[in-house]
Amino acid sequence: MTTTALADTPGLSDAHFWLRGETGNEWVRFDPTLGMWQVYGYADTARILSDPATFSSDISAKLPMYERNNGVLTMMDPPDHRKLRGLVSHAFTPKVVADLEPRIVTVLTELLDALPDPDRLELVEDLT
C-alpha cells in the first residue's frame, strides 16, 4: 500500500500521521485530549520501554475502557508483564514460529487467491 493510498483511507485521522510516513521532526508528541505522550522514534521508544518505573504501559488510568491487568501483555508493567511473558514465551521460540510457516503460507495463499481484485489489497480488510 502506498502512502497515497493510506492518506485516502477512511477513518485515518490526522492523529495517525505516522501511518502516512509523516513524522517531520516530531518524534515525541503530547496529546492533550488523551493526556498522554506519544513516542514515534525508535531510540526514545526503546529507552521508555526499558524504564517502567518512570513510564508505565498500564494505560487504564487514562483510558478507562481498558481494564487494569486485562491480560494484554503490551499493556502490563513488571512484575505482571514478566510473569505472563514467562508463561507464553515458550510458544514463540524461533523454532516454534518457523514451524508455523507452512500453515501460514497455505492460509495466506488461500486468502490471496480469493481476492475479488488481485490488483488491489486492503491488508486489514482482506486478510484479517
Side-chain angles (χ1 to χ4, degrees):
M1 182 179 294
T2 66
T3 301
T4 304
L6 274 173
D8 297 333
T9 302
L12 188 63
S13 73
D14 290 341
H16 296 104
F17 64 93
W18 52 275
L19 285 174
R20 294 186 294 273
E22 302 168 7
T23 57
N25 293 326
E26 286 191 272
W27 293 106
V28 178
R29 175 186 284 189
F30 183 73
D31 184 335
T33 307
L34 296 174
M36 298 171 66
W37 289 92
Q38 299 169 337
V39 181
Y40 304 98
Y42 175 80
D44 291 326
T45 301
R47 183 176 62 80
I48 287 167
L49 290 174
S50 67
D51 184 2
T54 305
F55 304 99
S56 176
S57 294
D58 179 3
I59 61 172
S60 62
K62 294 287 184 180
L63 300 173
M65 73 273 278
Y66 296 103
E67 293 179 28
R68 183 163 167 53
N69 293 330
N70 60 2
V72 177
L73 192 60
T74 58
M75 293 175 14
M76 298 172 93
D77 291 326
D80 296 329
H81 176 92
R82 192 175 302 110
K83 183 175 15 173
L84 184 57
R85 185 174 176 181
L87 291 172
V88 301
S89 63
H90 66 279
F92 298 100
T93 65
K95 180 179 179 352
V96 170
V97 173
D99 289 346
L100 293 172
E101 183 179 5
R103 177 68 180 138
I104 292 169
V105 168
T106 299
V107 171
L108 185 57
T109 300
E110 290 172 4
L111 290 170
L112 291 174
D113 287 346
L115 287 175
D117 181 355
D119 295 326
R120 180 185 170 279
L121 171 67
E122 286 295 330
L123 190 61
V124 172
E125 181 181 324
D126 293 334
L127 298 182
T128 57

